[in-house]
C-alpha cells in the first residue's frame, strides 16, 4: 500500500543522509604529520591539496606538548625516527604516552620508512601505517580510523 512506499522512501532518504553525514565528517578532521623530513614527504602536500580535511599540517619536530598545531590536531601521524629527541624523551613510546596523557582523544598513527614497531610495542589505541604507502592508502586509512 501507500505506507510501504512511504517507508521505502524514508529508508532511502535516511541512507542518503547517513552517507552525507559520514562524507561530511572528514571535512572536520585536523591532520598533523610530525616528521623530521616533512618538507620531503610528498603525501603531506597531496593530502593538503585534496581539500578533504579541515587541515593537514606538518611539523619537523615537536618542542613541547603545548604546541598549538598539536593541540588542534585530531589525528597525529608520528614518524618515530628522531622526533622524540628534542623533548628529551627516552624513546618514541614515551612521547606517545605523554601526548595521550595530555590529549586522550587524539588518534596517534605511528609510521616510518625504516621499520614499524612490533605489536607488542604498541598499545591498542595507537595505529601504524608504512610511510611508503600511497595517497589512496593514507586517505582510506584516515577515513577508517576517523569513522
Amino acid at each position: 500500500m501507500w505506507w510501504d512506499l512511504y517507508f521505502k522512501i524514508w529508508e532511502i532518504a535516511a541512507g542518503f543522509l547517513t552517507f552525507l553525514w559520514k562524507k561530511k565528517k572528514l571535512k572536520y578532521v585536523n591532520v598533523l604529520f610530525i616528521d623530521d623530513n616533512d618538507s620531503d614527504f610528498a603525501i603531506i602536500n597531496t593530502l593538503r591539496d585534496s581539500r578533504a580535511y579541515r587541515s593537514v599540517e606538518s611539523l619537523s619536530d615537536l618542542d613541547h606538548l603545548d604546541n598549538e598545531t598539536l593541540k588542534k590536531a585530531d589525528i597525529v601521524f608520528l614518524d618515530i625516527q628522531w622526533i622524540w629527541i628534542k623533548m628529551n624523551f627516552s624513546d618514541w613510546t614515551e612521547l606517545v604516552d605523554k601526548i595521550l596523557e595530555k590529549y586522550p582523544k587524539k588518534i596517534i598513527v605511528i609510521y616510518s620508512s625504516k621499520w614499524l614497531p612490533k605489536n607488542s610495542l604498541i598499545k591498542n589505541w595507537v595505529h601504524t601505517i608504512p610511510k611508503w604507502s600511497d595517497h589512496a592508502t593514507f586517505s582510506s586509512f584516515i577515513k577508517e580510523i576517523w569513522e
Side-chain angles (χ1 to χ4, degrees):
M1 299 302 273
W2 68 269
W3 55 84
D4 290 333
L5 180 61
Y6 173 79
F7 286 116
K8 189 63 176 171
I9 292 171
W10 179 253
E11 182 181 357
I12 291 169
F16 183 68
L17 290 174
T18 302
F19 167 77
L20 287 178
W21 169 249
K22 286 185 176 181
K23 185 144 180 83
K24 190 174 182 181
K25 231 167 110 170
L26 282 176
K27 282 285 193 188
Y28 298 106
V29 177
N30 294 304
V31 180
L32 171 62
F33 286 83
I34 305 175
D35 190 328
D36 59 330
N37 294 316
D38 67 330
S39 60
D40 296 334
F41 191 39
I43 197 74
I44 296 171
N45 288 329
T46 305
L47 290 171
R48 189 179 289 138
D49 293 344
S50 75
R51 300 186 187 277
Y53 316 101
R54 177 179 283 164
S55 69
V56 178
E57 302 294 332
S58 66
L59 297 172
S60 60
D61 205 339
L62 196 59
D63 294 342
H64 52 84
L65 294 177
D66 292 324
N67 180 292
E68 288 300 319
T69 308
L70 176 62
K71 283 182 186 178
K72 185 174 87 168
D74 300 303
I75 300 174
V76 178
F77 284 87
L78 192 59
D79 181 0
I80 57 177
Q81 301 292 324
W82 310 115
I83 60 96
W84 44 270
I85 293 176
K86 202 171 200 179
M87 292 180 62
N88 295 320
F89 291 126
S90 59
D91 64 11
W92 62 269
T93 59
E94 187 179 359
L95 174 59
V96 169
D97 286 342
K98 295 294 183 190
I99 290 173
L100 289 172
E101 185 179 297
K102 188 163 181 93
Y103 307 106
K105 293 187 179 187
K106 297 229 181 284
I107 298 171
I108 304 291
V109 180
I110 302 298
Y111 74 106
S112 179
S113 60
K114 307 285 189 242
W115 62 276
L116 285 173
K118 296 195 183 334
N119 288 343
S120 61
L121 294 176
I122 18 182
K123 299 175 177 143
N124 60 357
W125 31 256
V126 177
H127 306 274
T128 61
I129 188 171
K131 188 172 182 175
W132 56 83
S133 299
D134 62 7
H135 168 262
T137 305
F138 267 95
S139 293
S140 62
F141 185 78
I142 291 169
K143 182 178 180 184
E144 179 183 321
I145 63 176
W146 184 246
E147 293 178 349

